[in-house]
Amino acid sequence: MTDVLGLDEIFAEMVLGLGLAILVGNGLAWYRHRRGERPEGVEGDFRAGRVWFLLAVGLLMTAWGAASVLGG
């Protein structure tokens, strides 16, 4: 069944896409924070540790997804 639907390939592409989204989104948040910009309507502090953790998770997911898509 997985061969017919290509679920293995779809899963790898979804991991790659989600990893890239996490990586780009948190990278942009960190970049804007460094420039002193703050989104409107946001209350609370910038959590640098959370951004670095999610950047690492996004990088790991992107590498895993890319290896699965290109290697498989």
Side-chain angles (χ1 to χ4, degrees):
M1 184 72 164
T2 59
D3 293 335
V4 175
L5 298 176
L7 294 178
D8 293 337
E9 186 175 332
I10 291 172
F11 180 71
E13 291 170 357
M14 285 178 26
V15 169
L16 176 61
L18 184 61
L20 282 171
I22 292 172
L23 194 64
V24 170
N26 283 285
L28 185 61
W30 176 77
Y31 175 73
R32 286 188 174 177
H33 173 72
R34 295 279 294 174
R35 292 186 60 196
E37 297 176 14
R38 187 180 182 109
E40 291 184 25
V42 173
E43 296 179 13
D45 296 330
F46 177 79
R47 296 186 238 172
R50 182 180 188 180
V51 169
W52 286 111
F53 171 74
L54 288 174
L55 280 171
V57 168
L59 184 62
L60 180 66
M61 288 178 69
T62 301
W64 178 29
S68 296
V69 169
L70 298 175

